[in-house]
mmCIF file of all heavy atoms in Angstrom:
data_model
loop_
_atom_site.group_PDB
_atom_site.id
_atom_site.type_symbol
_atom_site.label_atom_id
_atom_site.label_comp_id
_atom_site.label_asym_id
_atom_site.label_seq_id
_atom_site.Cartn_x
_atom_site.Cartn_y
_atom_site.Cartn_z
ATOM 1 N N ILE A 182 -50.538 -99.531 -27.468
ATOM 2 C CA ILE A 182 -51.827 -100.061 -27.921
ATOM 3 C C ILE A 182 -52.431 -99.111 -28.957
ATOM 4 O O ILE A 182 -52.369 -97.888 -28.806
ATOM 5 C CB ILE A 182 -52.817 -100.181 -26.735
ATOM 6 C CG1 ILE A 182 -52.384 -101.276 -25.760
ATOM 7 C CG2 ILE A 182 -54.241 -100.450 -27.219
ATOM 8 C CD1 ILE A 182 -52.551 -102.689 -26.276
ATOM 9 N N ILE A 183 -53.016 -99.675 -30.014
ATOM 10 C CA ILE A 183 -53.835 -98.895 -30.944
ATOM 11 C C ILE A 183 -55.288 -99.223 -30.635
ATOM 12 O O ILE A 183 -55.718 -100.369 -30.787
ATOM 13 C CB ILE A 183 -53.503 -99.237 -32.409
ATOM 14 C CG1 ILE A 183 -52.055 -98.874 -32.736
ATOM 15 C CG2 ILE A 183 -54.464 -98.495 -33.353
ATOM 16 C CD1 ILE A 183 -51.601 -99.309 -34.122
ATOM 17 N N LEU A 184 -56.015 -98.232 -30.155
ATOM 18 C CA LEU A 184 -57.426 -98.399 -29.807
ATOM 19 C C LEU A 184 -58.277 -97.836 -30.948
ATOM 20 O O LEU A 184 -58.283 -96.630 -31.189
ATOM 21 C CB LEU A 184 -57.742 -97.665 -28.497
ATOM 22 C CG LEU A 184 -59.187 -97.712 -28.015
ATOM 23 C CD1 LEU A 184 -59.588 -99.138 -27.648
ATOM 24 C CD2 LEU A 184 -59.385 -96.775 -26.830
ATOM 25 N N LYS A 185 -58.985 -98.704 -31.651
ATOM 26 C CA LYS A 185 -59.778 -98.272 -32.800
ATOM 27 C C LYS A 185 -61.105 -97.681 -32.342
ATOM 28 O O LYS A 185 -61.923 -98.378 -31.759
ATOM 29 C CB LYS A 185 -60.012 -99.458 -33.741
ATOM 30 C CG LYS A 185 -58.721 -100.019 -34.321
ATOM 31 C CD LYS A 185 -58.975 -101.256 -35.163
ATOM 32 C CE LYS A 185 -57.662 -101.818 -35.714
ATOM 33 N NZ LYS A 185 -57.874 -103.056 -36.500
ATOM 34 N N ASN A 186 -61.295 -96.417 -32.621
ATOM 35 C CA ASN A 186 -62.540 -95.750 -32.250
ATOM 36 C C ASN A 186 -63.488 -95.723 -33.445
ATOM 37 O O ASN A 186 -63.777 -94.681 -34.015
ATOM 38 C CB ASN A 186 -62.275 -94.324 -31.752
ATOM 39 C CG ASN A 186 -63.542 -93.641 -31.276
ATOM 40 O OD1 ASN A 186 -64.565 -94.284 -31.035
ATOM 41 N ND2 ASN A 186 -63.494 -92.323 -31.146
ATOM 42 N N TYR A 187 -63.958 -96.921 -33.827
ATOM 43 C CA TYR A 187 -64.931 -97.020 -34.911
ATOM 44 C C TYR A 187 -66.345 -96.902 -34.354
ATOM 45 O O TYR A 187 -67.272 -96.484 -35.037
ATOM 46 C CB TYR A 187 -64.779 -98.343 -35.655
ATOM 47 C CG TYR A 187 -63.436 -98.499 -36.353
ATOM 48 C CD1 TYR A 187 -63.134 -99.657 -37.054
ATOM 49 C CD2 TYR A 187 -62.478 -97.486 -36.330
ATOM 50 C CE1 TYR A 187 -61.906 -99.811 -37.697
ATOM 51 C CE2 TYR A 187 -61.254 -97.628 -36.970
ATOM 52 C CZ TYR A 187 -60.972 -98.797 -37.640
ATOM 53 O OH TYR A 187 -59.759 -98.946 -38.277
ATOM 54 N N ASP A 188 -66.503 -97.299 -33.096
ATOM 55 C CA ASP A 188 -67.761 -97.163 -32.373
ATOM 56 C C ASP A 188 -67.397 -96.655 -30.976
ATOM 57 O O ASP A 188 -66.658 -97.320 -30.249
ATOM 58 C CB ASP A 188 -68.485 -98.512 -32.278
ATOM 59 C CG ASP A 188 -69.709 -98.434 -31.380
ATOM 60 O OD1 ASP A 188 -70.736 -97.879 -31.813
ATOM 61 O OD2 ASP A 188 -69.616 -98.918 -30.224
ATOM 62 N N LEU A 189 -67.904 -95.474 -30.606
ATOM 63 C CA LEU A 189 -67.449 -94.813 -29.381
ATOM 64 C C LEU A 189 -67.747 -95.626 -28.124
ATOM 65 O O LEU A 189 -66.893 -95.741 -27.233
ATOM 66 C CB LEU A 189 -68.078 -93.421 -29.275
ATOM 67 C CG LEU A 189 -67.590 -92.556 -28.100
ATOM 68 C CD1 LEU A 189 -66.083 -92.363 -28.155
ATOM 69 C CD2 LEU A 189 -68.301 -91.205 -28.118
ATOM 70 N N GLU A 190 -68.935 -96.219 -28.041
ATOM 71 C CA GLU A 190 -69.294 -96.995 -26.857
ATOM 72 C C GLU A 190 -68.345 -98.179 -26.671
ATOM 73 O O GLU A 190 -67.870 -98.463 -25.561
ATOM 74 C CB GLU A 190 -70.741 -97.488 -26.961
ATOM 75 C CG GLU A 190 -71.234 -98.203 -25.714
ATOM 76 C CD GLU A 190 -72.697 -98.614 -25.808
ATOM 77 O OE1 GLU A 190 -73.385 -98.174 -26.750
ATOM 78 O OE2 GLU A 190 -73.141 -99.385 -24.925
ATOM 79 N N THR A 191 -68.051 -98.870 -27.764
ATOM 80 C CA THR A 191 -67.130 -100.003 -27.707
ATOM 81 C C THR A 191 -65.727 -99.552 -27.335
ATOM 82 O O THR A 191 -65.043 -100.185 -26.511
ATOM 83 C CB THR A 191 -67.089 -100.728 -29.064
ATOM 84 O OG1 THR A 191 -68.403 -101.183 -29.388
ATOM 85 C CG2 THR A 191 -66.143 -101.914 -29.025
ATOM 86 N N ALA A 192 -65.282 -98.435 -27.920
ATOM 87 C CA ALA A 192 -63.944 -97.919 -27.640
ATOM 88 C C ALA A 192 -63.802 -97.532 -26.174
ATOM 89 O O ALA A 192 -62.771 -97.795 -25.546
ATOM 90 C CB ALA A 192 -63.645 -96.720 -28.532
ATOM 91 N N CYS A 193 -64.832 -96.939 -25.596
ATOM 92 C CA CYS A 193 -64.799 -96.546 -24.182
ATOM 93 C C CYS A 193 -64.690 -97.777 -23.281
ATOM 94 O O CYS A 193 -63.932 -97.778 -22.300
ATOM 95 C CB CYS A 193 -66.043 -95.742 -23.815
ATOM 96 S SG CYS A 193 -66.022 -94.030 -24.404
ATOM 97 N N LYS A 194 -65.437 -98.832 -23.619
ATOM 98 C CA LYS A 194 -65.389 -100.052 -22.821
ATOM 99 C C LYS A 194 -64.013 -100.712 -22.929
ATOM 100 O O LYS A 194 -63.439 -101.159 -21.919
ATOM 101 C CB LYS A 194 -66.474 -101.022 -23.306
ATOM 102 C CG LYS A 194 -66.513 -102.351 -22.541
ATOM 103 C CD LYS A 194 -66.827 -102.144 -21.056
ATOM 104 C CE LYS A 194 -67.059 -103.454 -20.315
ATOM 105 N NZ LYS A 194 -65.829 -104.281 -20.224
ATOM 106 N N GLU A 195 -63.473 -100.771 -24.126
ATOM 107 C CA GLU A 195 -62.156 -101.372 -24.316
ATOM 108 C C GLU A 195 -61.078 -100.557 -23.586
ATOM 109 O O GLU A 195 -60.156 -101.127 -22.985
ATOM 110 C CB GLU A 195 -61.838 -101.488 -25.803
ATOM 111 C CG GLU A 195 -62.697 -102.533 -26.508
ATOM 112 C CD GLU A 195 -62.411 -102.634 -27.997
ATOM 113 O OE1 GLU A 195 -61.696 -101.748 -28.529
ATOM 114 O OE2 GLU A 195 -62.894 -103.585 -28.633
ATOM 115 N N ALA A 196 -61.214 -99.228 -23.622
ATOM 116 C CA ALA A 196 -60.258 -98.370 -22.928
ATOM 117 C C ALA A 196 -60.305 -98.617 -21.425
ATOM 118 O O ALA A 196 -59.268 -98.676 -20.751
ATOM 119 C CB ALA A 196 -60.556 -96.904 -23.234
ATOM 120 N N GLU A 197 -61.506 -98.776 -20.886
ATOM 121 C CA GLU A 197 -61.670 -99.033 -19.458
ATOM 122 C C GLU A 197 -60.994 -100.357 -19.070
ATOM 123 O O GLU A 197 -60.290 -100.429 -18.055
ATOM 124 C CB GLU A 197 -63.161 -99.072 -19.120
ATOM 125 C CG GLU A 197 -63.464 -98.951 -17.646
ATOM 126 C CD GLU A 197 -64.956 -98.847 -17.361
ATOM 127 O OE1 GLU A 197 -65.712 -98.423 -18.259
ATOM 128 O OE2 GLU A 197 -65.344 -99.197 -16.237
ATOM 129 N N ASP A 198 -61.185 -101.389 -19.869
ATOM 130 C CA ASP A 198 -60.557 -102.688 -19.593
ATOM 131 C C ASP A 198 -59.038 -102.583 -19.636
ATOM 132 O O ASP A 198 -58.327 -103.151 -18.788
ATOM 133 C CB ASP A 198 -61.033 -103.734 -20.598
ATOM 134 C CG ASP A 198 -62.505 -104.103 -20.419
ATOM 135 O OD1 ASP A 198 -63.063 -103.812 -19.338
ATOM 136 O OD2 ASP A 198 -63.098 -104.666 -21.366
ATOM 137 N N LEU A 199 -58.533 -101.869 -20.626
ATOM 138 C CA LEU A 199 -57.086 -101.691 -20.765
ATOM 139 C C LEU A 199 -56.486 -100.983 -19.555
ATOM 140 O O LEU A 199 -55.479 -101.417 -18.992
ATOM 141 C CB LEU A 199 -56.780 -100.866 -22.019
ATOM 142 C CG LEU A 199 -56.778 -101.559 -23.367
ATOM 143 C CD1 LEU A 199 -56.675 -100.524 -24.480
ATOM 144 C CD2 LEU A 199 -55.609 -102.530 -23.448
#
Side-chain angles (χ1 to χ4, degrees):
I182 291 289
I183 297 174
L184 178 65
K185 298 176 181 178
N186 184 16
Y187 297 179
D188 173 76
L189 185 58
E190 185 177 349
T191 301
C193 284
K194 180 62 172 67
E195 290 179 349
E197 196 174 336
D198 291 343
L199 279 171

